[in-house]
Amino acid sequence: MNQALSYTDAHFNQYVDELIEFLRIPSVSTDPDHAGDVRAAASWLADHLNALGMQNVDIMETPGYPIVYAEYMVDPSKPTILVYGHYDVQPPDPLDLWDSAPFDPVVKNGDLYARGSCDDKGQLFMHVKAAESFFKGSNSLPLNVKYIFEGEEEVGSAHLPQFLKDNRELLKADVAVVSDTALFGSGVPSITYGLRGLAYVEVMLEGPDRDLHSGVYGGAIENPINALAKMIADLHDEDHRVTIDGFYDNVLPLTSEERTTFASLPFDTDEWVHDVGASKPRTEKGYSVLEGTTARPTLDCNGIWGGFTGKGAKTVLPARAYAKISCRLVPNQTPEEITSKLEAHFKKHTPDTMRLTFKDLHGGMGALVDTKSDAMMAASEAMEGVFGQKPYMVRSGGSIPIVSDFKKILGQETVLMGFGLDSDAIHSPNEKFGLDRFRQGIDSIVRFMDIYSKK
Ligand code: BES
Ligand code: MN
Ligand code: MN
């Protein structure tokens, strides 16, 4: 392990340069114009893994983007880890809000700015470099590793569950390891044991069959935007609880131990609100900001449009109103259940002057992982070795739906050892990844591999 740690130390700049090369490929999975770039990122990664001496490197096709597979099997009697990450990235828009070009990475004050630097190319690359440090520092790995890197995470991982089902034997491992989450704070180590799920829908209300003059018809024709705005406003009550029938039926409540732990975390609500640029928080009644953002289900309108939104004024009574709405789910809510409850709610409340169109866009399950497994203990010890303090066990409000499938399909627990920060601006302009955290991540993974190999 020590040789691997010193190898990283001596070659860190080279690791950063290689990551920069990887980040130059604009692998935006949601944009068909970037299909070639997404595939180029897969090839780049496969070539890189091959050059390191990984075994059985393969670009495994799916009906969508491929999964890059690689393994290195040292000894069947040693533990095996399955590392997951994603090489696709979010679109960089809005471009004019970036201080430097999203696919022309720059290092400023120790932070590497580029789309995907934190989510998730930089974080998956920590695993690749940790293995390299073992290969080159001590000629081998302490345990067996299998890697799956997918290119469709940011568009819902549609083909990954089937890939897991089709490759159960190939992917057999003792535990899955994922670095695609955040630290609790800068220099504050944490391991994530909970993720939220997601249910994403689009609704459309249609009144008249065409846009009308609001002077000639207004007063006798109901306006779809007015009607939809009211329906959306009514989705929360005065306690900021979601009003959809049965929304909370399957919510696994926070245990009293969890609530005590949450309350003891080094979290400053005022500072957090200030950083967000809001004047005050608004949580579901009875819950803290931390609970509200990680362990309670939510509903948010993500976008609303219709009618006239150009410059100046146009007196129109629009024919249609649209909204995109998503819910963050917690165990044991399912996206199917919540989507159908949302649909029933919208049907029930559609005024008899309107027609409703309801579309299910995508969804995924949340997850809670075993906090006491050998792999968790090894991860905790590894991070303590790097940060000088034991990591906190935290829940995250984001979603990585495949984690629940690792359990359901492969029977594997997952360790979520992520090194992002909420301030890394993932999915936003000026996404960054601190090089200190790139380093802490590699070192933590090196230590984890060594410690877990002895469990
Ligand atoms: N890495 C994120 C999820 C995440 C972010 C977890 C921060 C914990 C902390 C992932 O790439 C992501 O963006 N997931 C999407 C869901 C997906 C189904 C499109 C999300 O959470 O919105
Ligand atoms: Mn991610
Ligand atoms: Mn993401």
Side-chain angles (χ1 to χ4, degrees):
M1 176 183 91
N2 287 328
Q3 292 105 305
L5 292 173
S6 346
Y7 189 89
T8 306
D9 194 50
H11 296 83
F12 187 66
N13 291 340
Q14 177 205 323
Y15 287 0
V16 173
D17 289 343
E18 290 164 352
L19 173 57
I20 287 175
E21 211 183 295
F22 189 28
L23 289 168
R24 284 191 199 283
I25 310 169
S27 47
V28 181
S29 52
T30 191
D31 183 350
D33 288 349
H34 283 291
D37 297 314
V38 180
R39 287 179 176 275
S43 304
W44 187 95
L45 191 53
D47 290 347
H48 196 84
L49 291 162
N50 258 322
L52 284 186
M54 288 287 176
Q55 302 160 342
N56 294 321
V57 178
D58 197 0
I59 297 180
M60 298 178 74
E61 287 299 335
T62 74
Y65 289 122
I67 287 154
V68 177
Y69 179 83
E71 63 181 32
Y72 199 85
M73 309 302 280
V74 287
D75 177 349
S77 71
K78 292 264 170 76
T80 303
I81 61 171
L82 174 70
V83 174
Y84 161 87
H86 63 94
Y87 63 81
D88 65 323
V89 302
Q90 283 279 321
D93 312 77
L95 281 174
D96 53 315
L97 293 184
W98 283 77
D99 296 330
S100 56
F103 299 108
D104 199 356
V106 291
V107 177
K108 247 191 313 188
N109 302 322
D111 290 317
L112 176 55
Y113 287 83
R115 172 57 85 232
S117 54
C118 173
D119 186 13
D120 179 44
K121 283 171 165 170
Q123 295 214 61
L124 81 79
F125 210 56
M126 300 179 316
H127 286 272
V128 178
K129 296 294 106 175
E132 178 170 350
S133 288
F134 272 115
F135 283 144
K136 304 211 172 134
S138 56
N139 268 318
S140 187
L141 297 186
L143 41 55
N144 308 305
V145 285
K146 297 175 174 181
Y147 297 91
I148 46 170
F149 297 129
E150 75 154 322
E152 298 186 300
E153 197 277 344
E154 298 293 6
V155 287
S157 303
H159 303 103
L160 193 53
Q162 190 59 45
F163 178 86
L164 299 188
K165 286 179 193 150
D166 293 344
N167 294 283
R168 280 198 180 89
E169 213 29 58
L170 180 71
L171 304 176
K172 212 166 140 54
D174 295 288
V175 70
V177 184
V178 178
S179 295
D180 194 21
T181 51
L183 293 172
F184 196 70
S186 178
V188 186
S190 63
I191 295 175
T192 300
Y193 72 89
L195 292 164
R196 290 198 285 194
L198 188 68
Y200 205 125
V201 305
E202 183 174 319
V203 293
M204 193 264 281
L205 273 193
E206 191 171 29
D209 68 0
R210 60 192 180 279
D211 284 7
L212 301 170
H213 189 292
S214 68
V216 176
Y217 296 96
I221 293 295
E222 188 165 23
N223 182 318
I225 299 184
N226 297 8
L228 185 58
K230 162 131 180 61
M231 287 168 84
I232 292 170
D234 288 344
L235 287 167
H236 291 94
D237 66 15
E238 52 298 343
D239 291 335
H240 212 66
R241 282 172 65 87
V242 177
T243 55
I244 290 164
D245 275 344
F247 186 77
Y248 295 97
D249 281 0
N250 296 317
V251 169
L252 192 70
L254 276 151
T255 64
S256 57
E257 293 94 300
E258 276 183 298
R259 299 199 77 177
T260 309
T261 309
F262 272 59
S264 72
L265 290 170
F267 182 76
D268 184 331
T269 300
D270 293 339
E271 190 183 313
W272 183 86
V273 172
H274 180 263
D275 285 348
V276 174
S279 56
K280 57 193 303 216
R282 176 96 155 109
T283 60
E284 177 187 351
K285 192 175 180 192
Y287 292 95
S288 69
V289 165
L290 213 46
E291 291 168 342
T293 52
T294 66
R296 293 296 296 168
T298 63
L299 181 149
D300 279 290
C301 180
N302 305 103
I304 178 163
W305 70 103
F308 180 69
T309 55
K311 285 201 181 93
K314 180 187 181 195
T315 49
V316 63
L317 196 167
R320 292 171 164 195
Y322 297 81
K324 289 189 193 275
I325 295 171
S326 64
C327 295
R328 291 287 167 174
L329 314 179
V330 297
N332 297 316
Q333 293 176 301
T334 70
E336 295 75 23
E337 168 217 348
I338 294 301
T339 300
S340 81
K341 286 176 177 171
L342 268 165
E343 182 166 18
H345 179 96
F346 272 92
K347 279 191 173 145
K348 182 168 153 200
H349 293 279
T350 298
D352 61 6
T353 51
M354 301 278 151
R355 285 177 304 280
L356 171 79
T357 308
F358 183 93
K359 268 198 260 180
D360 174 1
L361 296 187
H362 66 83
M365 288 284 287
L368 282 175
V369 304
D370 181 3
T371 52
K372 304 250 151 59
S373 66
D374 286 347
M376 271 306 218
M377 295 301 135
S380 175
E381 206 181 314
M383 288 181 82
E384 187 178 357
V386 172
F387 290 86
Q389 83 181 70
K390 263 203 165 51
Y392 293 104
M393 291 289 166
V394 300
R395 288 172 69 161
S396 166
S399 305
I400 311 176
I402 204 61
V403 171
S404 86
D405 291 316
F406 286 143
K407 180 86 199 176
K408 223 170 14 202
I409 301 172
L410 301 179
Q412 292 173 16
E413 282 294 328
T414 300
V415 172
L416 293 156
M417 213 188 337
F419 297 86
L421 282 179
D422 287 351
S423 56
D424 280 343
I426 62 170
H427 297 206
S428 297
N430 301 314
E431 177 178 350
K432 66 171 189 298
F433 193 35
L435 293 179
D436 54 341
R437 287 174 287 120
F438 183 50
R439 176 63 187 273
Q440 287 160 347
I442 299 170
D443 288 351
S444 298
I445 292 162
V446 163
R447 286 174 184 269
F448 169 78
M449 290 166 83
D450 183 62
I451 296 165
Y452 187 58
S453 74
K454 294 168 188 155
K455 292 271 171 187

PDB file of all heavy atoms in Angstrom, residues 201-207 228 231 320-325 342-343 346-347 350 354-360:
ATOM      1  N   VAL A 201     -42.272  13.434 -14.353  1.00  0.00           N
ATOM      2  CA  VAL A 201     -43.411  13.429 -15.286  1.00  0.00           C
ATOM      3  C   VAL A 201     -43.561  14.776 -15.988  1.00  0.00           C
ATOM      4  O   VAL A 201     -42.969  15.784 -15.572  1.00  0.00           O
ATOM      5  CB  VAL A 201     -44.744  13.093 -14.556  1.00  0.00           C
ATOM      6  CG1 VAL A 201     -44.637  11.781 -13.801  1.00  0.00           C
ATOM      7  CG2 VAL A 201     -45.182  14.225 -13.625  1.00  0.00           C
ATOM      8  N   GLU A 202     -44.329  14.754 -17.058  1.00  0.00           N
ATOM      9  CA  GLU A 202     -44.683  16.000 -17.748  1.00  0.00           C
ATOM     10  C   GLU A 202     -46.197  16.039 -17.903  1.00  0.00           C
ATOM     11  O   GLU A 202     -46.811  15.028 -18.253  1.00  0.00           O
ATOM     12  CB  GLU A 202     -44.002  16.028 -19.124  1.00  0.00           C
ATOM     13  CG  GLU A 202     -44.248  17.328 -19.884  1.00  0.00           C
ATOM     14  CD  GLU A 202     -43.448  17.388 -21.187  1.00  0.00           C
ATOM     15  OE1 GLU A 202     -42.265  16.984 -21.202  1.00  0.00           O
ATOM     16  OE2 GLU A 202     -44.026  17.827 -22.198  1.00  0.00           O
ATOM     17  N   VAL A 203     -46.788  17.194 -17.628  1.00  0.00           N
ATOM     18  CA  VAL A 203     -48.243  17.320 -17.793  1.00  0.00           C
ATOM     19  C   VAL A 203     -48.556  18.457 -18.762  1.00  0.00           C
ATOM     20  O   VAL A 203     -47.804  19.429 -18.885  1.00  0.00           O
ATOM     21  CB  VAL A 203     -48.971  17.587 -16.454  1.00  0.00           C
ATOM     22  CG1 VAL A 203     -48.868  16.389 -15.530  1.00  0.00           C
ATOM     23  CG2 VAL A 203     -48.447  18.823 -15.761  1.00  0.00           C
ATOM     24  N   MET A 204     -49.677  18.289 -19.448  1.00  0.00           N
ATOM     25  CA  MET A 204     -50.134  19.335 -20.374  1.00  0.00           C
ATOM     26  C   MET A 204     -51.636  19.501 -20.183  1.00  0.00           C
ATOM     27  O   MET A 204     -52.367  18.522 -20.117  1.00  0.00           O
ATOM     28  CB  MET A 204     -49.816  18.924 -21.811  1.00  0.00           C
ATOM     29  CG  MET A 204     -49.955  20.045 -22.822  1.00  0.00           C
ATOM     30  SD  MET A 204     -51.542  20.062 -23.654  1.00  0.00           S
ATOM     31  CE  MET A 204     -51.290  18.772 -24.859  1.00  0.00           C
ATOM     32  N   LEU A 205     -52.059  20.745 -20.053  1.00  0.00           N
ATOM     33  CA  LEU A 205     -53.502  21.043 -19.978  1.00  0.00           C
ATOM     34  C   LEU A 205     -53.874  21.797 -21.237  1.00  0.00           C
ATOM     35  O   LEU A 205     -53.195  22.756 -21.631  1.00  0.00           O
ATOM     36  CB  LEU A 205     -53.809  21.960 -18.790  1.00  0.00           C
ATOM     37  CG  LEU A 205     -54.066  21.365 -17.413  1.00  0.00           C
ATOM     38  CD1 LEU A 205     -54.656  22.452 -16.515  1.00  0.00           C
ATOM     39  CD2 LEU A 205     -54.970  20.154 -17.458  1.00  0.00           C
ATOM     40  N   GLU A 206     -54.962  21.376 -21.849  1.00  0.00           N
ATOM     41  CA  GLU A 206     -55.412  22.028 -23.078  1.00  0.00           C
ATOM     42  C   GLU A 206     -56.840  22.522 -22.893  1.00  0.00           C
ATOM     43  O   GLU A 206     -57.704  21.767 -22.444  1.00  0.00           O
ATOM     44  CB  GLU A 206     -55.347  21.023 -24.224  1.00  0.00           C
ATOM     45  CG  GLU A 206     -55.546  21.663 -25.585  1.00  0.00           C
ATOM     46  CD  GLU A 206     -55.262  20.654 -26.698  1.00  0.00           C
ATOM     47  OE1 GLU A 206     -55.462  19.454 -26.461  1.00  0.00           O
ATOM     48  OE2 GLU A 206     -54.856  21.094 -27.787  1.00  0.00           O
ATOM     49  N   GLY A 207     -57.065  23.783 -23.191  1.00  0.00           N
ATOM     50  CA  GLY A 207     -58.415  24.354 -23.091  1.00  0.00           C
ATOM     51  C   GLY A 207     -58.994  24.514 -24.478  1.00  0.00           C
ATOM     52  O   GLY A 207     -59.405  23.524 -25.104  1.00  0.00           O
ATOM     53  N   LEU A 228     -53.458  25.376 -14.589  1.00  0.00           N
ATOM     54  CA  LEU A 228     -52.309  24.536 -14.234  1.00  0.00           C
ATOM     55  C   LEU A 228     -51.541  25.138 -13.054  1.00  0.00           C
ATOM     56  O   LEU A 228     -51.078  24.417 -12.161  1.00  0.00           O
ATOM     57  CB  LEU A 228     -51.375  24.358 -15.448  1.00  0.00           C
ATOM     58  CG  LEU A 228     -50.198  23.407 -15.255  1.00  0.00           C
ATOM     59  CD1 LEU A 228     -50.655  21.996 -14.868  1.00  0.00           C
ATOM     60  CD2 LEU A 228     -49.334  23.332 -16.514  1.00  0.00           C
ATOM     61  N   MET A 231     -53.305  24.171  -9.989  1.00  0.00           N
ATOM     62  CA  MET A 231     -53.090  22.762  -9.658  1.00  0.00           C
ATOM     63  C   MET A 231     -51.705  22.558  -9.049  1.00  0.00           C
ATOM     64  O   MET A 231     -51.531  21.793  -8.101  1.00  0.00           O
ATOM     65  CB  MET A 231     -53.239  21.893 -10.918  1.00  0.00           C
ATOM     66  CG  MET A 231     -54.683  21.761 -11.368  1.00  0.00           C
ATOM     67  SD  MET A 231     -54.792  21.043 -13.026  1.00  0.00           S
ATOM     68  CE  MET A 231     -54.713  19.310 -12.645  1.00  0.00           C
ATOM     69  N   ARG A 320     -52.721  26.093 -24.458  1.00  0.00           N
ATOM     70  CA  ARG A 320     -52.093  25.006 -23.710  1.00  0.00           C
ATOM     71  C   ARG A 320     -51.154  25.520 -22.622  1.00  0.00           C
ATOM     72  O   ARG A 320     -50.566  26.585 -22.771  1.00  0.00           O
ATOM     73  CB  ARG A 320     -51.257  24.151 -24.662  1.00  0.00           C
ATOM     74  CG  ARG A 320     -52.082  23.378 -25.638  1.00  0.00           C
ATOM     75  CD  ARG A 320     -51.176  22.751 -26.672  1.00  0.00           C
ATOM     76  NE  ARG A 320     -51.882  21.715 -27.401  1.00  0.00           N
ATOM     77  CZ  ARG A 320     -51.299  20.801 -28.160  1.00  0.00           C
ATOM     78  NH1 ARG A 320     -49.987  20.813 -28.300  1.00  0.00           N
ATOM     79  NH2 ARG A 320     -52.011  19.878 -28.770  1.00  0.00           N
ATOM     80  N   ALA A 321     -51.004  24.715 -21.602  1.00  0.00           N
ATOM     81  CA  ALA A 321     -50.009  24.979 -20.549  1.00  0.00           C
ATOM     82  C   ALA A 321     -49.290  23.683 -20.222  1.00  0.00           C
ATOM     83  O   ALA A 321     -49.903  22.612 -20.205  1.00  0.00           O
ATOM     84  CB  ALA A 321     -50.710  25.508 -19.304  1.00  0.00           C
ATOM     85  N   TYR A 322     -47.979  23.790 -20.021  1.00  0.00           N
ATOM     86  CA  TYR A 322     -47.150  22.599 -19.782  1.00  0.00           C
ATOM     87  C   TYR A 322     -46.356  22.744 -18.481  1.00  0.00           C
ATOM     88  O   TYR A 322     -45.978  23.855 -18.106  1.00  0.00           O
ATOM     89  CB  TYR A 322     -46.095  22.445 -20.877  1.00  0.00           C
ATOM     90  CG  TYR A 322     -46.624  22.235 -22.262  1.00  0.00           C
ATOM     91  CD1 TYR A 322     -47.058  23.318 -23.043  1.00  0.00           C
ATOM     92  CD2 TYR A 322     -46.657  20.965 -22.820  1.00  0.00           C
ATOM     93  CE1 TYR A 322     -47.516  23.126 -24.338  1.00  0.00           C
ATOM     94  CE2 TYR A 322     -47.112  20.761 -24.114  1.00  0.00           C
ATOM     95  CZ  TYR A 322     -47.538  21.841 -24.873  1.00  0.00           C
ATOM     96  OH  TYR A 322     -47.981  21.644 -26.149  1.00  0.00           O
ATOM     97  N   ALA A 323     -46.068  21.625 -17.873  1.00  0.00           N
ATOM     98  CA  ALA A 323     -45.151  21.640 -16.724  1.00  0.00           C
ATOM     99  C   ALA A 323     -44.398  20.322 -16.634  1.00  0.00           C
ATOM    100  O   ALA A 323     -44.923  19.269 -17.003  1.00  0.00           O
ATOM    101  CB  ALA A 323     -45.909  21.875 -15.422  1.00  0.00           C
ATOM    102  N   LYS A 324     -43.148  20.412 -16.185  1.00  0.00           N
ATOM    103  CA  LYS A 324     -42.369  19.224 -15.844  1.00  0.00           C
ATOM    104  C   LYS A 324     -42.285  19.189 -14.324  1.00  0.00           C
ATOM    105  O   LYS A 324     -41.974  20.206 -13.691  1.00  0.00           O
ATOM    106  CB  LYS A 324     -40.966  19.310 -16.447  1.00  0.00           C
ATOM    107  CG  LYS A 324     -40.978  19.147 -17.967  1.00  0.00           C
ATOM    108  CD  LYS A 324     -39.583  19.022 -18.521  1.00  0.00           C
ATOM    109  CE  LYS A 324     -39.570  19.170 -20.025  1.00  0.00           C
ATOM    110  NZ  LYS A 324     -39.853  17.894 -20.711  1.00  0.00           N
ATOM    111  N   ILE A 325     -42.583  18.024 -13.779  1.00  0.00           N
ATOM    112  CA  ILE A 325     -42.662  17.884 -12.322  1.00  0.00           C
ATOM    113  C   ILE A 325     -41.888  16.642 -11.900  1.00  0.00           C
ATOM    114  O   ILE A 325     -42.009  15.587 -12.527  1.00  0.00           O
ATOM    115  CB  ILE A 325     -44.141  17.768 -11.888  1.00  0.00           C
ATOM    116  CG1 ILE A 325     -44.862  19.085 -12.211  1.00  0.00           C
ATOM    117  CG2 ILE A 325     -44.272  17.434 -10.398  1.00  0.00           C
ATOM    118  CD1 ILE A 325     -46.359  19.040 -12.049  1.00  0.00           C
ATOM    119  N   LEU A 342     -49.543  10.422  -8.838  1.00  0.00           N
ATOM    120  CA  LEU A 342     -49.510  11.757  -9.456  1.00  0.00           C
ATOM    121  C   LEU A 342     -50.550  11.844 -10.577  1.00  0.00           C
ATOM    122  O   LEU A 342     -51.282  12.831 -10.691  1.00  0.00           O
ATOM    123  CB  LEU A 342     -48.133  12.002 -10.088  1.00  0.00           C
ATOM    124  CG  LEU A 342     -47.052  12.681  -9.267  1.00  0.00           C
ATOM    125  CD1 LEU A 342     -45.702  12.484  -9.931  1.00  0.00           C
ATOM    126  CD2 LEU A 342     -47.358  14.175  -9.155  1.00  0.00           C
ATOM    127  N   GLU A 343     -50.594  10.789 -11.390  1.00  0.00           N
ATOM    128  CA  GLU A 343     -51.531  10.798 -12.521  1.00  0.00           C
ATOM    129  C   GLU A 343     -52.968  10.852 -12.018  1.00  0.00           C
ATOM    130  O   GLU A 343     -53.783  11.644 -12.513  1.00  0.00           O
ATOM    131  CB  GLU A 343     -51.305   9.559 -13.406  1.00  0.00           C
ATOM    132  CG  GLU A 343     -52.222   9.563 -14.615  1.00  0.00           C
ATOM    133  CD  GLU A 343     -51.807   8.555 -15.692  1.00  0.00           C
ATOM    134  OE1 GLU A 343     -51.030   7.622 -15.382  1.00  0.00           O
ATOM    135  OE2 GLU A 343     -52.279   8.715 -16.834  1.00  0.00           O
ATOM    136  N   PHE A 346     -53.714  14.376 -10.830  1.00  0.00           N
ATOM    137  CA  PHE A 346     -53.934  15.353 -11.910  1.00  0.00           C
ATOM    138  C   PHE A 346     -55.258  15.094 -12.624  1.00  0.00           C
ATOM    139  O   PHE A 346     -55.963  16.035 -12.974  1.00  0.00           O
ATOM    140  CB  PHE A 346     -52.746  15.358 -12.884  1.00  0.00           C
ATOM    141  CG  PHE A 346     -51.668  16.308 -12.447  1.00  0.00           C
ATOM    142  CD1 PHE A 346     -50.616  15.877 -11.652  1.00  0.00           C
ATOM    143  CD2 PHE A 346     -51.730  17.660 -12.779  1.00  0.00           C
ATOM    144  CE1 PHE A 346     -49.643  16.765 -11.205  1.00  0.00           C
ATOM    145  CE2 PHE A 346     -50.767  18.554 -12.353  1.00  0.00           C
ATOM    146  CZ  PHE A 346     -49.714  18.102 -11.552  1.00  0.00           C
ATOM    147  N   LYS A 347     -55.614  13.826 -12.816  1.00  0.00           N
ATOM    148  CA  LYS A 347     -56.908  13.514 -13.452  1.00  0.00           C
ATOM    149  C   LYS A 347     -58.054  14.048 -12.613  1.00  0.00           C
ATOM    150  O   LYS A 347     -58.977  14.689 -13.128  1.00  0.00           O
ATOM    151  CB  LYS A 347     -57.059  11.993 -13.620  1.00  0.00           C
ATOM    152  CG  LYS A 347     -56.322  11.466 -14.839  1.00  0.00           C
ATOM    153  CD  LYS A 347     -56.704  10.023 -15.128  1.00  0.00           C
ATOM    154  CE  LYS A 347     -56.103   9.569 -16.443  1.00  0.00           C
ATOM    155  NZ  LYS A 347     -55.712   8.139 -16.396  1.00  0.00           N
ATOM    156  N   THR A 350     -58.238  17.993 -12.754  1.00  0.00           N
ATOM    157  CA  THR A 350     -58.340  18.710 -14.022  1.00  0.00           C
ATOM    158  C   THR A 350     -59.743  19.312 -14.142  1.00  0.00           C
ATOM    159  O   THR A 350     -60.735  18.586 -14.026  1.00  0.00           O
ATOM    160  CB  THR A 350     -58.071  17.752 -15.206  1.00  0.00           C
ATOM    161  OG1 THR A 350     -56.743  17.262 -15.099  1.00  0.00           O
ATOM    162  CG2 THR A 350     -58.239  18.474 -16.540  1.00  0.00           C
ATOM    163  N   MET A 354     -60.999  21.430 -19.311  1.00  0.00           N
ATOM    164  CA  MET A 354     -59.649  21.139 -19.823  1.00  0.00           C
ATOM    165  C   MET A 354     -59.482  19.660 -20.169  1.00  0.00           C
ATOM    166  O   MET A 354     -60.144  18.802 -19.593  1.00  0.00           O
ATOM    167  CB  MET A 354     -58.593  21.440 -18.723  1.00  0.00           C
ATOM    168  CG  MET A 354     -58.586  22.850 -18.212  1.00  0.00           C
ATOM    169  SD  MET A 354     -57.672  23.923 -19.295  1.00  0.00           S
ATOM    170  CE  MET A 354     -58.553  25.445 -18.984  1.00  0.00           C
ATOM    171  N   ARG A 355     -58.545  19.404 -21.082  1.00  0.00           N
ATOM    172  CA  ARG A 355     -58.093  18.028 -21.333  1.00  0.00           C
ATOM    173  C   ARG A 355     -56.667  17.896 -20.810  1.00  0.00           C
ATOM    174  O   ARG A 355     -55.857  18.801 -20.994  1.00  0.00           O
ATOM    175  CB  ARG A 355     -58.108  17.717 -22.835  1.00  0.00           C
ATOM    176  CG  ARG A 355     -59.495  17.493 -23.411  1.00  0.00           C
ATOM    177  CD  ARG A 355     -59.441  17.268 -24.914  1.00  0.00           C
ATOM    178  NE  ARG A 355     -58.773  18.364 -25.618  1.00  0.00           N
ATOM    179  CZ  ARG A 355     -59.353  19.543 -25.935  1.00  0.00           C
ATOM    180  NH1 ARG A 355     -60.616  19.768 -25.606  1.00  0.00           N
ATOM    181  NH2 ARG A 355     -58.672  20.474 -26.584  1.00  0.00           N
ATOM    182  N   LEU A 356     -56.393  16.759 -20.177  1.00  0.00           N
ATOM    183  CA  LEU A 356     -55.076  16.521 -19.579  1.00  0.00           C
ATOM    184  C   LEU A 356     -54.276  15.495 -20.396  1.00  0.00           C
ATOM    185  O   LEU A 356     -54.828  14.490 -20.820  1.00  0.00           O
ATOM    186  CB  LEU A 356     -55.264  15.965 -18.156  1.00  0.00           C
ATOM    187  CG  LEU A 356     -54.003  15.441 -17.450  1.00  0.00           C
ATOM    188  CD1 LEU A 356     -53.170  16.589 -16.892  1.00  0.00           C
ATOM    189  CD2 LEU A 356     -54.379  14.479 -16.321  1.00  0.00           C
ATOM    190  N   THR A 357     -52.995  15.798 -20.632  1.00  0.00           N
ATOM    191  CA  THR A 357     -52.081  14.771 -21.159  1.00  0.00           C
ATOM    192  C   THR A 357     -50.997  14.578 -20.108  1.00  0.00           C
ATOM    193  O   THR A 357     -50.409  15.557 -19.621  1.00  0.00           O
ATOM    194  CB  THR A 357     -51.424  15.234 -22.475  1.00  0.00           C
ATOM    195  OG1 THR A 357     -52.461  15.646 -23.361  1.00  0.00           O
ATOM    196  CG2 THR A 357     -50.626  14.118 -23.116  1.00  0.00           C
ATOM    197  N   PHE A 358     -50.762  13.329 -19.756  1.00  0.00           N
ATOM    198  CA  PHE A 358     -49.826  13.022 -18.670  1.00  0.00           C
ATOM    199  C   PHE A 358     -48.768  12.057 -19.192  1.00  0.00           C
ATOM    200  O   PHE A 358     -49.095  11.018 -19.755  1.00  0.00           O
ATOM    201  CB  PHE A 358     -50.601  12.378 -17.517  1.00  0.00           C
ATOM    202  CG  PHE A 358     -49.773  12.071 -16.294  1.00  0.00           C
ATOM    203  CD1 PHE A 358     -49.690  12.982 -15.248  1.00  0.00           C
ATOM    204  CD2 PHE A 358     -49.083  10.874 -16.191  1.00  0.00           C
ATOM    205  CE1 PHE A 358     -48.929  12.697 -14.110  1.00  0.00           C
ATOM    206  CE2 PHE A 358     -48.318  10.581 -15.067  1.00  0.00           C
ATOM    207  CZ  PHE A 358     -48.250  11.496 -14.017  1.00  0.00           C
ATOM    208  N   LYS A 359     -47.490  12.421 -19.039  1.00  0.00           N
ATOM    209  CA  LYS A 359     -46.400  11.567 -19.549  1.00  0.00           C
ATOM    210  C   LYS A 359     -45.439  11.198 -18.435  1.00  0.00           C
ATOM    211  O   LYS A 359     -44.989  12.062 -17.676  1.00  0.00           O
ATOM    212  CB  LYS A 359     -45.591  12.331 -20.613  1.00  0.00           C
ATOM    213  CG  LYS A 359     -46.066  12.110 -22.037  1.00  0.00           C
ATOM    214  CD  LYS A 359     -44.974  12.533 -23.006  1.00  0.00           C
ATOM    215  CE  LYS A 359     -45.264  13.920 -23.552  1.00  0.00           C
ATOM    216  NZ  LYS A 359     -44.301  14.438 -24.482  1.00  0.00           N
ATOM    217  N   ASP A 360     -45.093   9.909 -18.370  1.00  0.00           N
ATOM    218  CA  ASP A 360     -44.082   9.432 -17.419  1.00  0.00           C
ATOM    219  C   ASP A 360     -42.725   9.548 -18.121  1.00  0.00           C
ATOM    220  O   ASP A 360     -42.504   8.901 -19.139  1.00  0.00           O
ATOM    221  CB  ASP A 360     -44.430   7.962 -17.098  1.00  0.00           C
ATOM    222  CG  ASP A 360     -43.383   7.288 -16.225  1.00  0.00           C
ATOM    223  OD1 ASP A 360     -42.392   7.942 -15.844  1.00  0.00           O
ATOM    224  OD2 ASP A 360     -43.573   6.086 -15.935  1.00  0.00           O
TER     225      ASP A 360
END
